[in-house]
Amino acid sequence: MLKLPFGKYPVFGKDNPEYAYACGRVKALETRLLDRVRFERLATAKDFEDLLKLLQDTDYSKYLNEVHSPADYEIILRRELEKLFTLVSELSVDKTLERDLRITYDFLNIKILVKSVIFEADFSPYYTRYSYYPISVIRFCIESGKLEHVEPFLIKAYEEAIASYYEKKEIYRIDTAVDRVMYEYLTSKTAFEYLGILFNIKADLNNLLTFLRLERLNRLESYGNFSLPGGYLPREVFSKVSDFQTLLHEIRHTVYYDVITPGYQYYLKTGSYVRLERDIASYINGFIRLGGAKDLGVEPLIAYYFKKRNEVGLLRMIMVSKLNDLPREQILERIPEVV
């Protein structure tokens, strides 16, 4: 009988008084985060202009005068993210924390860099500005062989993505190779326990959802190419089953069963992953809430980082949905439990 080494969530964290000031700062800032009621109001706004009016008493209001057309919505989100990165930089006692929080953007840039090299194209407009290392530094390290200036796992991701693509010249292999290295780093190499646990949980839930998506496409034989390292579920749980229903039975004594089952039933009825994706996000948000509730330590800062990133991502989804005239019911069903 398969069981995980935890009940609803893993246990984490020792008190760290070095982060006392950071805890006070982020706990004050959390009172300004948008709650579920606010998101539901935004989702039911009659149009994009009405949505902007509903942001006038929030932290986003200071950027509204920069929005001259609906197409400018990304300005609002970019300003808040930039403010978040500045905050993390100021409050990180150990500067490797800032690196490990922002490194997902570096791995995104590695994907773009690999594609630009393979296809001999200029993809510079697509690099994200939110990475920890400037893309020019990463490119210099790769071209010069002076690798000591960046996290070695970024170079590993670059090399494995190149090699994986040329095995069969399938473009999806670039992204999957980079993702696998990213999860290898964040689930086992980061020095921050809470962050590692968060990505191990994400690895498990991503792997479960990937299994279902591949079953739908009749491509379960390629699961090994898409699965992420890390996680708490043993690899053999996935390899010994031939369908998602059996996989669900195998994990019936774990918390993931309760997370996945309602969305899976919805999927069987509708063919939609919306409920699954929402419930997975809600469960992950619950773990982020736990981190934010800690009184003393690095966890509240990490949790606030993900709370704000989630807020920006959810606001982006609602804005794009409004611009594309998506029915409000479809927007509402995508909103997870908010941290």
Side-chain angles (χ1 to χ4, degrees), residues 5 121 169 233 292:
K169 291 192 175 182
L233 292 174

Side-chain angles (χ1 to χ4, degrees), residues 41-272:
R41 288 176 61 195
L42 292 169
T44 56
K46 62 181 180 181
D47 53 33
F48 189 81
E49 287 70 25
D50 189 36
L51 183 151
L52 293 182
K53 291 177 183 177
L54 292 173
L55 292 174
Q56 287 179 346
D57 62 341
T58 71
D59 284 349
Y60 297 89
S61 62
K62 64 179 72 74
Y63 316 120
L64 294 180
N65 61 351
E66 299 182 55
V67 179
H68 304 295
S69 72
D72 294 335
Y73 72 90
E74 194 66 38
I75 294 173
I76 301 174
L77 308 179
R78 186 173 68 244
R79 293 280 190 263
E80 272 298 283
L81 283 178
E82 289 169 349
K83 188 172 76 172
L84 173 64
F85 299 138
T86 299
L87 179 76
V88 169
S89 181
E90 291 174 355
L91 298 182
S92 296
V93 176
D94 181 344
K95 290 305 177 183
T96 61
L97 175 60
E98 181 186 2
R99 180 198 64 198
D100 285 2
L101 289 178
R102 296 178 63 168
I103 204 166
T104 54
Y105 294 107
D106 290 274
F107 282 106
L108 175 59
N109 278 346
I110 291 293
K111 294 178 182 180
I112 299 170
L113 177 59
V114 169
K115 291 168 187 174
S116 70
V117 170
I118 288 174
F119 300 111
E120 299 180 350
D122 179 16
F123 293 151
S124 54
Y126 302 103
Y127 290 118
T128 175
R129 67 180 68 191
Y130 306 138
S131 60
Y132 182 73
Y133 299 102
I135 188 61
S136 58
V137 172
I138 294 177
R139 190 185 293 112
F140 169 79
C141 290
I142 292 171
E143 293 173 353
S144 68
K146 297 179 180 179
L147 308 181
E148 66 273 14
H149 300 295
V150 299
E151 165 53 48
F153 272 78
L154 294 172
I155 306 302
K156 180 180 180 180
Y158 174 84
E159 292 172 345
E160 294 197 5
I162 292 282
S164 182
Y165 170 77
Y166 280 111
E167 282 180 13
K168 293 189 176 181
K169 291 192 175 182
E170 295 170 323
I171 193 168
Y172 78 85
R173 286 173 168 264
I174 297 171
D175 288 358
T176 55
V178 173
D179 286 342
R180 288 172 66 84
V181 176
M182 181 179 75
Y183 269 82
E184 180 188 355
Y185 177 76
L186 287 169
T187 59
S188 63
K189 304 301 181 182
T190 179
F192 303 95
E193 178 194 30
Y194 176 73
L195 184 62
I197 292 172
L198 176 61
F199 273 88
N200 273 292
I201 291 171
K202 286 187 172 188
D204 279 334
L205 294 168
N206 268 301
N207 286 339
L208 288 167
L209 190 53
T210 294
F211 191 98
L212 178 59
R213 292 183 188 278
L214 291 174
E215 180 186 61
R216 181 173 184 169
L217 297 171
N218 294 314
R219 293 188 60 188
L220 274 180
E221 73 284 351
S222 61
Y223 172 77
N225 294 330
F226 291 92
S227 64
L228 297 171
Y232 299 100
L233 292 174
R235 300 294 99 182
E236 58 267 22
V237 172
F238 295 91
S239 62
K240 72 180 183 180
V241 299
S242 58
D243 60 82
F244 192 80
Q245 188 69 53
T246 305
L247 177 58
L248 203 57
H249 179 76
E250 289 292 322
I251 66 169
R252 66 192 183 281
H253 296 295
T254 74
V255 65
Y256 297 145
Y257 180 84
D258 293 330
V259 175
I260 295 293
T261 299
Y264 178 59
Q265 296 300 324
Y266 183 82
Y267 162 78
L268 291 177
K269 293 177 183 177
T270 66
S272 171

